[in-house]
């Protein structure tokens, strides 16, 4: 049984005339009769009583007609659902992100626009490091990544369309509000040799830590790390409590605290990149969010 047979049956049942039904379906009458005959053979019932003067539904045909309409309605509902899924209008979008990525106004505004435009999509936000997000994208556990650079070497080997730069953020020194260095507008890493540092937990393998390691090495500074934390909000809280200082993306400063002061980092290349990463075969939902972030990938 196929949709052509069902459509043919409905046309004959409504017209009660094979000639008119054939014209309605843009068929000649013999193929239409063959479709009805084939359907009756599959169902093992007669659907129509017909002679040279009239065509009428049998009791079996009347019963089948109700279900035939339902089959077509269900098929159309399924077709609409398939079209919506294919265009990225419905489904679940799994987005991996670096700890500081959601402090970015660009990212937050893109997600807000996306939710407004595609309300049928459920967004799952999953925090991880740049490395773990890249691995999850390769393994099809994520649909999109919004991560901090520097990117791992393995990701640099990806095709350019799978890794797109979203923005660059200056790095800032976060320090307690009453710290002596708040008297300066800009601070160099060399000025921080004696300071106590709070960093993101090393076991997370964050891109921010990778970048800071490079900058400290260039500046010839060995930082005194006294605390590690798994969350950016906790890091800022510890700074505000006077436990030490930290170096963070400028986006973090938008969420200010009365207890934390931010100053520009004067060293060369003291900026951190924000990237959008895609899996090998992006979904329509992922491409739609890409369009909100930086335009069509």
């Amino acid at each position: 049984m196929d949709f052509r047979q069902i459509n043919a049956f409905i046309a004959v049942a409504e017209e009660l005339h094979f000639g008119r039904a054939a014209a309605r379906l843009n068929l000649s009458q013999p193929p239409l009769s063959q479709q009805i005959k084939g359907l009756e053979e599959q169902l093992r019932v007669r659907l129509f009583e017909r002679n040279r003067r009239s065509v009428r539904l049998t009791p079996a045909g009347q019963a089948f007609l109700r279900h035939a309409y339902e089959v077509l309605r269900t098929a159309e509902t399924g077709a609409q659902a398939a079209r919506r899924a294919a265009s990225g209008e419905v489904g679940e979008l799994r987005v991996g992100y670096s700890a500081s990525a959601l402090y970015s106004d660009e990212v937050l505004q893109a997600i807000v626009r996306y939710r407004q435009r595609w309300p049928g999509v459920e967004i799952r936000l999953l925090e991880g490091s740049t490395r773990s997000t890249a691995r999850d994208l390769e393994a099809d556990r994520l649909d999109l990544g919004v991560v901090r650079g520097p990117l791992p070497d393995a990701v640099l080997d990806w095709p350019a369309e799978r890794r797109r730069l979203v923005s660059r953020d200056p790095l800032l020194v976060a320090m307690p509000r009453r710290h002596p260095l708040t008297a300066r507008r800009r601070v160099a890493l060399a000025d921080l040799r004696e300071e106590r540092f709070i960093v993101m937990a090393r076991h997370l393998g964050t891109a921010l830590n990778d970048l800071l390691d490079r900058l400290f090495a260039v500046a010839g500074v060995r930082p005194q790390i006294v605390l590690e934390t798994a969350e950016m909000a906790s890091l800022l809280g510890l700074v505000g409590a006077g436990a030490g200082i930290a170096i963070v993306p400028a986006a973090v400063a938008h969420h200010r605290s009365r207890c934390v002061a931010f100053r520009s980092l004067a060293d060369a290349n003291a900026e951190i990149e924000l990237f959008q990463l895609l899996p090998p075969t992006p979904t329509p939902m992922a491409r739609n969010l890409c369009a909100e972030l930086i335009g069509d990938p």
Side-chain angles (χ1 to χ4, degrees):
M1 185 187 310
D2 59 36
F3 287 117
R4 289 178 303 173
Q5 291 175 318
I6 294 174
N7 277 316
F9 166 73
I10 290 174
V12 176
E14 290 179 346
E15 299 291 344
L16 292 178
H17 191 283
F18 273 76
R20 290 195 298 269
R24 170 173 154 181
L25 296 172
N26 294 316
L27 291 175
S28 61
Q29 192 166 326
L32 175 62
S33 296
Q34 285 297 106
Q35 288 182 1
I36 297 299
K37 181 180 179 182
L39 181 60
E40 289 178 327
E41 288 175 352
Q42 291 180 56
L43 296 176
R44 298 179 183 178
V45 297
R46 292 194 66 185
L47 298 171
F48 296 100
E49 294 286 353
R50 45 196 182 270
N51 55 44
R52 292 187 177 184
R53 291 182 298 178
S54 67
V55 175
R56 63 186 180 88
L57 285 164
T58 65
Q62 292 172 355
F64 185 67
L65 181 60
R66 293 191 295 272
H67 293 285
Y69 285 133
E70 186 61 31
V71 167
L72 291 188
R73 282 194 294 269
T74 301
E76 179 56 28
T77 300
Q80 291 176 0
R83 287 191 289 269
R84 293 185 69 200
S87 64
E89 294 180 45
V90 295
E92 180 182 77
L93 179 62
R94 302 163 298 175
V95 179
Y97 66 95
S98 297
S100 64
L102 292 191
Y103 286 88
S104 166
D105 284 345
E106 290 163 298
V107 174
L108 295 178
Q109 290 168 7
I111 291 175
V112 168
R113 290 194 301 270
Y114 183 91
R115 288 187 188 279
Q116 291 172 341
R117 187 172 181 185
W118 311 106
V121 176
E122 179 68 27
I123 300 177
R124 283 182 61 203
L125 295 168
L126 303 162
E127 185 175 333
S129 68
T130 297
R131 288 191 183 91
S132 67
T133 297
R135 288 194 298 268
D136 287 343
L137 286 165
E138 288 284 73
D140 198 31
R141 291 188 291 266
L142 289 174
D143 303 303
L144 178 70
V146 184
V147 300
R148 291 294 184 182
L151 296 176
D153 291 341
V155 176
L156 293 175
D157 290 335
W158 291 5
E161 61 269 18
R162 290 186 57 199
R163 46 182 175 86
R164 302 283 296 275
L165 180 67
V166 176
S167 63
R168 289 185 173 89
D169 251 354
L171 289 174
L172 304 180
V173 182
M175 61 189 82
R177 181 65 67 178
R178 296 183 182 277
H179 194 287
L181 288 176
T182 58
R184 304 185 186 183
R185 293 182 59 189
R186 292 163 59 83
V187 179
L189 290 176
D191 301 323
L192 306 176
R193 293 180 186 277
E194 305 302 320
E195 297 295 331
R196 294 155 55 90
F197 280 89
I198 305 166
V199 299
M200 297 299 292
R202 288 287 177 176
H203 73 269
L204 297 176
T206 66
L208 176 59
N209 281 347
D210 292 343
L211 176 59
L212 293 180
D213 288 344
R214 297 181 192 181
L215 293 176
F216 279 122
V218 170
V221 174
R222 185 186 295 272
Q224 180 187 354
I225 297 172
V226 294
L227 284 171
E228 297 184 6
T229 179
E231 297 180 358
M232 185 62 68
S234 297
L235 182 145
L236 294 177
L238 290 167
V239 170
I245 68 171
I247 296 176
V248 298
V252 171
H254 296 168
H255 301 260
R256 294 185 179 276
S257 163
R258 293 180 180 180
C259 300
V260 180
F262 297 92
R263 294 295 181 268
S264 297
L265 193 59
D267 297 68
N269 301 315
E271 62 180 12
I272 190 166
E273 297 164 317
L274 184 66
F275 287 92
Q276 162 200 286
L277 303 182
L278 287 169
T281 307
T283 65
M285 291 179 292
R287 290 192 178 280
N288 289 339
L289 182 52
C290 290
E292 297 297 338
L293 279 166
I294 56 174
D296 292 323

